[in-house]
Amino acid sequence: MKPESTTLSGQTLVPTTRTGKYRYVVLAMVTLGIAINYLDRATISVALPDMQADLGFSEAVAGMVLAAFFWTYAGGQLPAGFLAGKLGPRKLVTLSALVFGLVTMLTGLAWGIVSLVVLRLLLGLGESPAYPAAAQVVSEWFPRRERSFASGTFNNGNPIGSTLCIPLVALLVTSLGWRPAFFVAGGIAVVYAAAWWLFYRSPRESQRLSPGELAHIESDQETRANAGDEPVAVPWGSLFRHRTVWAMMIGFFCVNFVAYFFITWFPTYLVNTYNLTLLKFGFIGMIPGIASMLGGWTGGLVSDWLVRRGTDLTKARKICLVGGLLGTSVIALAVVSPSVTTALVALSVSYFSSTFAAASVWCLPADVAPTAAHVGSLGGIQNAASNCAGIVSPVLIGVITGMTSSFAVPMLIAGCVAIIGALNYAFFLPRLRPLEP
């Protein structure tokens, strides 16, 4: 079958095997932005024990402070997804990184619970556009057969940022105190905002993209996304009428219910349960994060390999989604671990499996979007639902841990939620195809 051609400035472009790799430079910049996003949001998790000692608040209050971020982060996903299609990734990512960078720096000046909650609310609002914009970038810069790896790669910004945060913030907190840690993390985001604005252009606006690579990118795009198509009127609210969208929301909620344990309570769990110093935790605490990076890339490669070998798209995505969530449920085994070593093994398997599944989760918006402009909207919708887990999970863990003086019950609950997510993707998610207007 002859590869589909496209045109640019009157020229016919035919994809070839030698297409160039500039799209991977764009992907690296997107991944870096997600990593900085998570660095800024996770700084408080590592600094939390020192902040509690300094400002004097309990585990239950700490859970409320951690959850405050997700109140606005989850709510901000819907407008952020809409804006990703309207403003475009260049403007939206720049504004987002500038806002959350400045707010992170201001967190270093917090004087009490009220100020912390307000700043966490603002941080959630500032960070909310990151994932919908990233999904929009991948849908523009990668053909369908490469999107799972690309999605898994930018989603790996989560464990990269969270993992790098552990030794960096631990070193800053132990040497300078917790406040300078926020100044440094926020400053990095402000620098990134300027770099993204100067760097990013869409594929057809980029001066660094070869005609062959542009043809390769557009050779496997959905027909609805090709230039010259008539616009299709799809009311944003009508997306919620589709079972596919609700299955995406439920499934991603279950993925993130477990994942946010690692971003919020994981440092406190390991330090308190196994009596570790913060500096020692800063090194061994990186192990599950490294496992999660490998999981994201592995999940992306497996899903893309299945698609390339002719596996039905729905089956290819479900294999990774269901298998990943079943593996994620292994977090429950950490409660019976007799040592920090066995606990780290269980947690590493769980986090690996979580990001393995998430690589396919972030392909779904492009797989089912009725128009190219709706990729960001669908990404925002499913991410809004997933981050409701960020509201529930930290508070639930904080309250139950405060009542029982143990993380056992919350981690058992997390394992059960992962199994529910696997069942949702296996039986409730219908066949993947563009949603009917």
Side-chain angles (χ1 to χ4, degrees):
M1 181 178 179
K2 185 178 180 180
E4 182 181 343
S5 63
T6 187
T7 59
L8 177 62
S9 302
Q11 296 178 310
T12 299
L13 308 176
V14 180
T16 68
T17 56
R18 303 178 65 181
T19 59
K21 302 294 182 182
Y22 185 70
R23 63 193 181 280
Y24 292 103
V25 177
V26 175
L27 180 60
M29 277 293 288
V30 175
T31 305
L32 176 62
I34 298 293
I36 294 171
N37 183 289
Y38 272 83
L39 170 67
D40 280 28
R41 80 171 69 173
T43 296
I44 194 171
S45 300
V46 181
L48 190 60
D50 283 62
M51 295 174 70
Q52 286 184 262
D54 187 16
L55 301 178
F57 52 88
S58 66
E59 280 77 9
V61 173
M64 182 187 69
V65 171
L66 292 170
F69 167 88
F70 297 100
W71 300 342
T72 49
Y73 184 74
Q77 294 300 310
L78 301 181
F82 176 78
L83 290 173
K86 292 295 182 181
L87 297 181
R90 185 178 181 228
K91 293 179 181 177
L92 191 60
V93 172
T94 301
L95 179 62
S96 171
L98 184 61
V99 170
F100 75 71
L102 293 174
V103 171
T104 300
M105 296 176 74
L106 287 174
T107 305
L109 302 176
W111 61 88
I113 304 305
V114 174
S115 61
L116 273 177
V117 169
V118 170
L119 288 166
R120 293 292 289 177
L121 291 170
L122 292 174
L123 184 68
L125 196 61
E127 292 199 0
S128 59
Y131 271 90
Q136 189 80 32
V137 171
V138 166
S139 73
E140 293 177 0
W141 276 90
F142 286 84
R144 184 190 296 219
R145 61 185 176 273
E146 296 177 354
R147 282 185 193 156
S148 190
F149 174 78
S151 298
T153 299
F154 84 67
N155 190 61
N156 261 352
N158 168 347
I160 291 171
S162 302
T163 302
L164 291 178
C165 172
I166 291 173
L168 174 62
V169 177
L171 183 61
L172 288 170
V173 170
T174 54
S175 58
L176 301 175
W178 64 269
R179 296 183 186 275
F182 288 96
F183 300 150
V184 173
I188 293 171
V190 172
V191 172
Y192 177 80
W196 177 263
W197 175 259
L198 295 172
F199 166 81
Y200 185 78
R201 298 294 186 277
S202 68
R204 285 183 169 260
E205 293 174 339
S206 175
Q207 301 298 312
R208 301 175 182 176
L209 187 64
S210 69
E213 187 171 6
L214 177 63
H216 172 78
I217 291 169
E218 296 187 343
S219 67
D220 191 26
Q221 299 277 14
E222 296 79 355
T223 303
R224 63 178 183 272
N226 289 342
D229 281 355
E230 290 297 324
V232 181
V234 183
W236 181 84
S238 69
L239 297 174
F240 290 95
R241 300 175 187 170
H242 294 272
R243 172 177 157 183
T244 300
V245 175
W246 285 99
M248 290 165 60
M249 293 165 66
I250 294 168
F252 204 10
F253 175 95
C254 296
V255 172
N256 269 8
F257 188 94
V258 180
Y260 277 124
F261 165 80
F262 292 95
I263 300 167
T264 56
W265 282 106
F266 171 62
T268 303
Y269 159 74
L270 217 58
V271 168
N272 290 354
T273 303
Y274 298 100
N275 300 314
L276 304 178
T277 65
L278 185 60
L279 197 56
K280 183 177 181 180
F281 165 77
F283 292 97
I284 69 171
M286 295 175 64
I287 295 172
I290 293 171
S292 69
M293 295 179 207
L294 298 175
W297 281 312
T298 304
L301 289 170
V302 169
S303 184
D304 283 343
W305 176 76
L306 290 170
V307 172
R308 283 196 300 270
R309 71 189 295 268
T311 304
D312 176 72
L313 181 67
T314 303
K315 185 177 180 181
R317 300 294 190 234
K318 285 194 174 189
I319 287 172
C320 296
L321 291 166
V322 176
L325 274 161
L326 290 176
T328 302
S329 67
V330 171
I331 191 173
L333 297 181
V335 305
V336 295
S337 299
S339 68
V340 66
T341 301
T342 53
L344 282 172
V345 170
L347 293 170
S348 296
V349 170
S350 177
Y351 210 2
F352 174 96
S353 302
S354 172
T355 53
F356 183 95
S360 291
V361 165
W362 278 108
C363 292
L364 298 180
D367 289 340
V368 304
T371 73
H374 285 82
V375 174
S377 295
L378 283 166
I381 288 170
Q382 73 166 3
N383 210 26
S386 77
N387 282 285
C388 289
I391 298 172
V392 175
S393 181
V395 174
L396 183 66
I397 292 172
V399 170
I400 295 178
T401 302
M403 293 171 60
T404 63
S405 300
S406 170
F407 283 87
V409 174
M411 294 172 79
L412 287 170
I413 292 172
C416 293
V417 170
I419 293 173
I420 292 170
L423 295 173
N424 165 78
Y425 282 127
F427 301 110
F428 188 57
L429 179 68
R431 183 173 181 81
L432 298 178
R433 52 191 169 191
L435 302 176
E436 293 294 331

